[in-house]
Each structure stands twice: as structure tokens, then as C-alpha cells.
Amino acid sequence: RTMTAVANFLDEVVLTGSSAEGPVHAWDVRTGMQLKSYKTTACGRGGLCKLGEDYLVSAQVSKNALDVWGLDKESALHKFFVGEPMGVVASSPDGAFFAAGSLTGAAYLWEVSTGKLVRTWPAHFKAVSAIAFNSDGSVLVTGGDD
């Protein structure tokens, strides 16, 4: 199976990957053993990211939702429903914010501590295909298919 979303954790001890069909798996890269399987999530390329030290965020394109997972849990802790499919996600380096880009070109920004949607704006005319914070979290950059 082709891995289309990758996030590194715990000093590269655990690698989590997914295909668009799912599920997301967590692997110990030193032993090659599968540690967890997050069965009810699936995300495409760029649709999975680390959130702080203990969480994952995944974009559920088919469900118009974003899921927040604890690394030690096999079910989502929080689900954010949005009015359109999200394709890519990113979190700020300090884990205070996470952002998502939609297939229609909009960008969204959430505050993690409150779960509040801080802002949404039209970022591109076509799908947002890349999203990232800079190293200090002060700038959010998007790339699109336009």
C-alpha cells in the first residue's frame, strides 16, 4: 500500500502513515512493529500532521471533517465538522494552532486550546494542496492547484 501522508513522532521512533483508503497506522521504526491502527480514519497526501507532542490531526475528505487523535488512543478525541472537504493540514510548531486547506481553495485556522475556529479565508481559486507554518509559527503559507 502506498503511504501518502507521513508524520514523525518521538525523535523518529514512531512513523505514522496513511493512504486515501485508510486506516492510519503507527509503526516503531526501530523494530518495524505496528504499534497502533487508527481504524476509522483515512487521509490523503498532506492530510495528516503532528499536533503538539501527543496528538495527530487528520483530514477526513469523505466526511468533511478533521479528527484529532491521541497517540495512545485508537478512536478520535475530537471531531471538527466543516462545510467542505479538507485536503491538507498543518500545526504550528508550539501546537497552539492548526490549519487546514480545503478542496475549494479556502484556508481555515483553529486555536487548539479552545477548539475555536479563529479565521477562514479564500486562499486559492482551486484546491489548497500544501499548507505549512514557518519555524516560529508566525506565518502560515499555502500552495494551491491554481
Side-chain angles (χ1 to χ4, degrees):
R1 178 184 305 223
T2 303
M3 285 195 208
T4 57
V6 177
N8 291 314
F9 294 97
L10 306 174
D11 298 324
E12 313 238 355
V13 172
V14 179
L15 177 71
T16 304
S18 173
S19 71
E21 295 83 36
V24 170
H25 298 286
W27 303 88
D28 184 324
V29 295
R30 291 182 292 183
T31 65
M33 293 186 63
Q34 182 177 321
L35 302 174
K36 294 262 186 239
S37 180
Y38 305 95
K39 294 180 174 74
T40 60
T41 191
C43 55
R45 182 183 65 227
L48 178 68
C49 75
K50 174 183 166 183
L51 180 59
E53 292 300 317
D54 301 315
Y55 302 96
L56 294 170
V57 175
S58 65
Q60 300 293 317
V61 175
S62 64
K63 298 178 183 175
N64 292 358
L66 297 164
D67 288 342
V68 177
W69 300 78
L71 287 176
D72 60 342
K73 306 290 182 194
E74 292 189 14
S75 60
L77 299 172
H78 302 286
K79 189 175 285 278
F80 295 87
F81 290 99
V82 289
E84 59 184 316
M86 297 290 137
V88 292
V89 293
S91 69
S92 61
D94 62 2
F97 295 94
F98 74 91
S102 78
L103 299 185
T104 65
Y108 292 74
L109 179 68
W110 285 269
E111 183 178 37
V112 173
S113 64
T114 63
K116 178 183 174 188
L117 178 62
V118 176
R119 184 164 182 225
T120 183
W121 64 97
H124 296 275
F125 294 107
K126 294 187 178 180
V128 177
S129 54
I131 194 164
F133 285 89
N134 70 339
S135 61
D136 70 2
S138 63
V139 177
L140 177 66
V141 179
T142 64
D145 289 348
D146 48 356

